[in-house]
Amino acid sequence: MIRVKSVQDFLAGLLFVAFGVIGAWIAQNYPFGTAVRMGPGYLPVVLSWCMIVLGALIMGRSLVIEGPGFGALKLRPLVFVLGCVLVYALTIEKLGLVISTFLTTVICAYADTEMRWVETILLGVALSVFCVVTFVYGLSLPLSIWPD
Amino acid sequence: MDIITNLGIGLGAVLTPENLLFCLLGCLLGTLIGVLPGIGPLVTIALLLPATFSLPPLSALIMLAGIYYGAQYGGSTTSILMNLPGESSSVVTCIDGYQMARQGRAGAALSISALGSFFAGCVGTVLIAALAPVLSLVAQKFSAPEYTSLMAFGLIASVVLAHGSVVKAVAMIFLGLLFGLVGTDVNTGQQRFTFGIPELSDGIGFVPVGMGLFAIGEVIANLHNTQQRSFLTSKITGLWLSRKDFKESWKAVLRGTGVGSLLGILPGGGAILGSFAAYMVEKKIAKDPSRFGKGAIEGVAGPESANNAAAQTSFIPLLTLGIPANPVMALMMGAMMIQGIAPGAAVMAERPQLFWGLIVSMWIGNLMLVIINLPLIGIWVYFLRIPYRLMFPGILMFCCIGVYSLNNSTFEVLMTVGFGLLGFVFIRLGCEPAPLILAFVLGPLMEENLRRAMLLSRGDPIIFVQRPISAVILAMALALLIVLVLPAIRKRREEVFVE
């Protein structure tokens, strides 16, 4: 039975192989060309294969050499940090800068176990005001402040 | 003297109230973000990029450049006082700087780092002024094969910077190059990896990639490490250097400046590489290497001078060859192009006021930074008392607004979410994102030059060794690669990172 001695390396290798396989598979539809006249598919295919080889090498090494694992995964920071950026993307045009900034800040603060409600709401208000003053009035970026 | 006339032109262009104000603003912002961990020059410049659209080109570049070298000054403050690098280029300063602070010599450490940086900044500026015209002449001899080799060299050099495994860093380069190729192929108009999404036909934006990988990935990783940061800062007493301090450190400043200037010029180099190399040099030539790690002043003076020298000289490849040496320079290149300036040798000839103005502004900026950093140090330390739970929502907010306002595109914000996730995964898998981002920037340039070179040589790769300049660059790249893979050096490199 083969044992993975470094989960970190194994997963890293797997990631590179996966990117390589996807890249090579998509790029096979592009004209490859020749060494003299490289087609749009030439470099993507070559690069993808290089990545597959290196990824396999890293995976192989992870079976031989001891190394660190992936570590405990906490969903809270991951979900709320990525979630708040997603919410910003979805709300900035429809709800305007003030509401969007406030929402994003509150969701984002929730990523930390230490968050406190009063403090977070104050921070949200402060950041909204700061963004409006700096970016709309100060730097005159074309952002709508309130919902249309 | 040509150089004096040129610097005169620059001085004339900079000494207007607005330009001095933007220089000061850039330096202040740079110091602030240098002091604050978790937000670097890359994110800040990206954020301010849209704001510079409406400024005159010179003012915009002066401010953005100030942020970059200002961050080198600010970064040392936290390293010395809290053992917490505010900037990745001041990681090595922690080793001896923090020890000095614990021995009650924080003032001396801060002074030598500011004065060393100032000296290095002045030398760096003079070097740009002296070398840029020469290098622009060399650049005229450059064609596709030379550019390709130079970029290959830069990418290999960036592996030196990466922590941990060399293989992983090389794989990151290939991935970065591949990401760089997304979009419409310039030669044939073929859509590559666009999945029918119109926003992708211009390629993946640099800002979403940078913000995602560096800012957002980092924030998630930081929130995973719940360990409390200590806010017990050491007391700063007496900023004056003793005669002994001065005697011990002036040579280190000179050496650091030399090492940093040299490494800054190379593509793929820059402030981080400079500071690491300078520390290794100091430790190597010291009579008593065991003092290092226990508060040796050379261990602060060398790297601090080096990172600032490198920050200045890394403008050289951009201003003469049009090749960004590191991700921050890639953003500067973006800023120049937005202003309608094509970076490269032509800038100096066609827009002397802009070119020399930028260089002179760097010198003025360095002067401002000594004042901002030494007498006002207490103010910056105060900022460190802001707890992380209040800081990270701010960082994320600025990322969001920065990415969105660049093109008013929600698609780019969505891309940032994706790259943020990827950035976190990379950190967890021990893959350093720095080589990826440089490769991403150089990808399209490199493909274009490679194709042109192969067309020139009728498909024979021997052209890269037949042309002397290209051959020399490739030989250097090969030597670097061998050095990296050699077990002895690898061990030493790991030692430095472990420290």
Side-chain angles (χ1 to χ4, degrees):
Chain A
M1 183 67 198
I2 303 169
R3 196 175 66 91
V4 176
K5 288 186 176 159
S6 166
V7 178
Q8 193 187 60
D9 274 5
F10 186 80
L11 292 176
L14 198 66
L15 185 71
F16 289 124
V17 171
F19 270 118
V21 168
I22 297 170
W25 187 63
I26 297 176
Q28 67 176 352
N29 301 321
Y30 309 144
F32 189 76
T34 60
V36 184
R37 287 189 178 277
M38 291 184 185
Y42 195 98
L43 263 190
V45 168
V46 172
L47 290 174
S48 300
W49 275 105
C50 287
M51 230 151 48
I52 295 173
V53 171
L54 285 176
L57 205 70
I58 298 168
M59 279 171 85
R61 199 178 56 171
S62 76
L63 302 176
V64 185
I65 302 170
E66 291 286 343
F70 188 72
L73 186 67
K74 291 180 198 156
L75 280 179
R76 185 163 170 168
L78 196 63
V79 168
F80 285 99
V81 168
L82 295 178
C84 85
V85 184
L86 194 68
V87 166
Y88 187 84
L90 299 178
T91 57
I92 179 70
E93 285 183 349
K94 290 197 186 71
L95 297 181
L97 190 59
V98 173
I99 298 174
S100 183
T101 305
F102 184 78
L103 274 180
T104 308
T105 315
V106 172
I107 295 169
C108 166
Y110 209 72
D112 194 8
T113 41
E114 282 176 38
M115 76 88 84
R116 299 160 198 180
W117 276 110
V118 179
E119 199 182 79
T120 302
I121 287 170
L122 285 177
L123 181 70
V125 173
L127 278 176
S128 303
V129 173
F130 178 81
C131 284
V132 170
V133 172
T134 322
F135 296 106
V136 179
Y137 294 113
L139 301 172
S140 40
L141 297 182
L143 297 162
S144 54
I145 301 176
W146 296 107
D148 296 327
Chain B
M1 277 290 278
D2 249 7
I3 190 164
I4 291 171
T5 334
N6 287 332
L7 289 176
I9 298 175
L11 208 57
V14 174
L15 288 180
T16 65
E18 302 95 74
N19 284 341
L20 286 177
L21 182 73
F22 281 113
C23 187
L24 181 67
L25 202 63
C27 291
L28 281 174
L29 266 172
T31 307
L32 178 64
I33 56 142
V35 169
L36 296 177
I39 179 161
L42 192 71
V43 175
T44 316
I45 293 179
L47 178 64
L48 285 175
L49 209 53
T52 59
F53 293 172
S54 54
L55 293 179
L58 183 59
S59 310
L61 292 178
I62 285 177
M63 183 167 79
L64 296 178
I67 294 171
Y68 182 46
Y69 55 76
Q72 313 304 327
Y73 278 80
S76 52
T77 309
T78 25
S79 300
I80 292 168
L81 294 179
M82 297 170 68
N83 199 18
L84 197 79
E87 218 46 69
S88 47
S89 56
S90 19
V91 173
V92 274
T93 310
C94 290
I95 307 170
D96 279 290
Y98 184 61
Q99 291 303 323
M100 282 183 76
R102 283 184 58 182
Q103 294 159 9
R105 289 161 70 208
L110 289 168
S111 296
I112 194 64
S113 85
L115 295 175
S117 298
F118 176 64
F119 174 78
C122 295
V123 173
T125 311
V126 172
L127 266 180
I128 302 180
L131 280 183
V134 183
L135 273 175
S136 316
L137 288 180
V138 176
Q140 286 169 1
K141 294 203 176 69
F142 270 43
S143 68
E146 283 81 15
Y147 278 114
T148 314
S149 305
L150 192 64
M151 284 185 260
F153 177 83
L155 290 178
I156 292 171
S158 75
V159 174
V160 184
L161 293 181
H163 296 236
S165 151
V166 173
V167 195
K168 278 194 217 166
V170 176
M172 290 292 270
I173 287 182
F174 285 119
L175 189 58
L177 288 171
L178 200 62
F179 280 145
L181 297 184
V182 172
T184 313
D185 173 35
V186 276
N187 293 26
T188 59
Q190 167 86 44
Q191 299 280 313
R192 292 189 288 187
F193 303 108
T194 52
F195 305 102
I197 302 166
E199 281 93 342
L200 277 181
S201 64
D202 284 338
I204 302 176
F206 174 77
V207 175
V209 179
M211 294 271 198
L213 290 183
F214 285 94
I216 296 184
E218 195 88 3
V219 165
I220 302 175
N222 281 343
L223 288 172
H224 265 79
N225 305 333
T226 38
Q227 64 191 36
Q228 272 294 314
R229 288 198 293 146
S230 84
F231 289 99
L232 289 168
T233 50
S234 0
K235 237 186 157 161
I236 311 160
T237 44
L239 287 169
W240 294 108
L241 291 166
S242 69
R243 191 176 291 260
K244 183 168 164 281
D245 288 338
F246 188 77
K247 221 178 117 195
E248 280 176 346
S249 53
W250 71 272
K251 279 187 192 150
V253 169
L254 286 184
R255 283 190 292 261
T257 305
V259 170
S261 307
L262 194 70
L263 290 175
I265 298 176
L266 300 178
I272 311 171
L273 187 58
S275 60
F276 274 99
Y279 191 77
M280 280 197 278
V281 168
E282 288 310 318
K283 206 171 165 181
K284 184 108 192 147
I285 64 165
K287 281 195 196 101
D288 177 15
S290 66
R291 278 172 50 246
F292 282 82
K294 293 179 193 138
I297 196 165
E298 300 99 300
V300 177
E304 277 304 312
S305 312
N307 71 22
N308 208 43
Q312 307 291 344
T313 54
S314 60
F315 278 88
I316 293 179
L318 179 66
L319 293 174
T320 55
L321 301 172
I323 295 179
N326 57 42
V328 177
M329 287 302 122
L331 267 186
M332 289 292 293
M333 184 164 129
M336 290 173 89
M337 295 202 299
I338 286 165
Q339 296 281 0
I341 307 158
V347 178
M348 194 172 20
E350 285 162 18
R351 317 203 43 172
Q353 286 212 323
L354 181 100
F355 183 86
W356 296 105
L358 180 61
I359 290 170
V360 171
S361 84
M362 290 178 190
W363 187 78
I364 296 177
N366 272 288
L367 194 64
M368 288 176 175
L369 278 163
V370 174
I371 299 165
I372 292 171
N373 273 275
L374 282 181
L376 301 181
I377 191 115
I379 299 172
W380 303 112
V381 173
Y382 187 76
F383 275 103
L384 286 171
R385 296 179 190 276
I386 305 172
Y388 194 64
R389 65 169 191 280
L390 292 182
M391 225 161 73
F392 80 86
I395 296 173
L396 286 176
M397 202 52 243
F398 292 139
C399 287
C400 289
I401 201 165
V403 172
Y404 175 73
S405 57
L406 200 61
N407 293 321
N408 280 342
S409 144
T410 50
F411 178 78
E412 299 217 310
V413 186
L414 293 176
M415 292 284 291
T416 313
V417 178
F419 279 102
L421 178 63
L422 202 59
F424 170 69
V425 171
F426 282 148
I427 292 176
R428 271 318 189 69
L429 296 180
C431 300
E432 185 85 0
L436 182 141
I437 194 108
L438 190 67
F440 170 75
V441 173
L442 293 181
L445 275 173
M446 209 170 159
E447 187 194 30
E448 209 186 314
N449 281 296
L450 178 68
R451 278 176 164 183
R452 216 178 288 157
M454 292 310 263
L455 205 59
L456 272 175
S457 73
R458 301 186 185 281
D460 195 348
I462 202 157
I463 187 167
F464 293 109
V465 242
Q466 268 174 347
R467 300 177 64 115
I469 301 178
S470 165
V472 169
I473 299 171
L474 276 187
M476 275 162 43
L478 193 68
L480 200 62
L481 200 64
I482 292 170
V483 164
L484 268 179
V485 183
L486 279 183
I489 310 250
R490 248 172 77 183
K491 228 172 119 199
R492 159 145 314 141
R493 175 166 154 267
E494 273 152 26
E495 271 168 26
V496 174
F497 280 118
V498 167
E499 277 166 357

